[in-house]
């Protein structure tokens, strides 16, 4: 295994979760500048997420439970306007949840052919 689970989470899953947050905020009618302020990121980053130039490799919207958690987080962000550390913590928690449920296994095996999802139980046992 050349690419470990934490690398997959930080390089692919986390950015994809953030991209989905941006998409959901956009669906609510917010402008890029407003989204950037709420998420404590640059307007340029928002633009790259929306343009699928960042965080586009894992489609987290295909997991209804994860998408539901992100939608709940969006409501919190809009209502409470939490600091960047709270948002980061929640995204890390959701990333670990995705690992623990095995949602990332097939993607991991695509980027690292040495990973055999049938044999590897690292994430399921650690985070499941």
């Amino acid at each position: 295994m050349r690419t470990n689970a934490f690398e997959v989470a930080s390089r692919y899953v986390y950015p994809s979760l953030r991209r989905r947050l941006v998409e959901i905020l956009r669906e609510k009618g917010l402008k890029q500048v407003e989204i950037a302020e709420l998420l404590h990121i640059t307007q340029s980053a928002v633009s790259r997420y929306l343009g699928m130039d960042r965080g586009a490799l894992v489609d987290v919207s295909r997991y209804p439970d994860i998408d539901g958690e992100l939608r709940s987080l969006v409501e919190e962000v809009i209502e409470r306007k939490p600091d960047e550390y709270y948002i980061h913590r929640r995204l890390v928690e959701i990333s670990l949840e995705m690992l623990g449920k095995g949602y990332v296994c097939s993607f991991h095996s695509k980027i690292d052919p040495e990973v055999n999802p049938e044999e590897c139980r690292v994430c399921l046992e650690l985070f499941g």
Side-chain angles (χ1 to χ4, degrees):
M1 178 175 4
R2 289 173 286 181
T3 306
N4 69 53
F6 287 112
E7 288 177 281
V8 173
S10 68
R11 292 176 64 190
Y12 303 101
V13 176
Y14 186 98
S16 295
L17 291 170
R18 189 179 262 181
R19 178 186 54 78
R20 186 66 183 135
L21 272 184
V22 168
E23 288 176 340
I24 296 167
L25 285 163
R26 187 66 172 179
E27 288 170 8
K28 297 218 170 262
L30 277 73
K31 296 180 177 148
Q32 288 187 17
V33 173
E34 295 170 315
I35 295 169
E37 288 174 9
L38 285 171
L39 297 181
H40 308 280
I41 60 177
T42 66
Q43 184 275 324
S44 175
V46 171
S47 177
R48 288 195 302 270
Y49 285 123
L50 291 172
M52 301 297 273
D53 294 330
R54 182 185 279 184
L57 294 178
V58 179
D59 180 11
V60 297
S61 68
R62 60 183 269 221
Y63 306 105
D65 55 336
I66 299 300
D67 204 54
E69 285 192 50
L70 292 172
R71 288 181 181 281
S72 294
L73 180 55
V74 161
E75 294 305 321
E76 266 188 277
V77 166
I78 291 170
E79 291 172 19
R80 292 187 32 232
K81 297 176 181 43
D83 64 24
E84 63 188 300
Y85 300 108
Y86 179 82
I87 296 168
H88 173 67
R89 189 192 88 207
R90 289 293 297 128
L91 290 176
V92 169
E93 288 171 348
I94 297 168
S95 296
L96 294 176
E97 181 179 344
M98 286 187 70
L99 293 175
K101 290 183 174 184
Y103 292 165
V104 183
C105 297
S106 63
F107 177 77
H108 191 179
S109 68
K110 286 178 187 168
I111 61 169
D112 186 347
E114 289 184 15
V115 172
N116 180 346
E118 302 299 318
E119 293 176 9
C120 179
R121 305 218 17 101
V122 173
C123 294
L124 299 174
E125 292 174 9
L126 283 175
F127 312 115

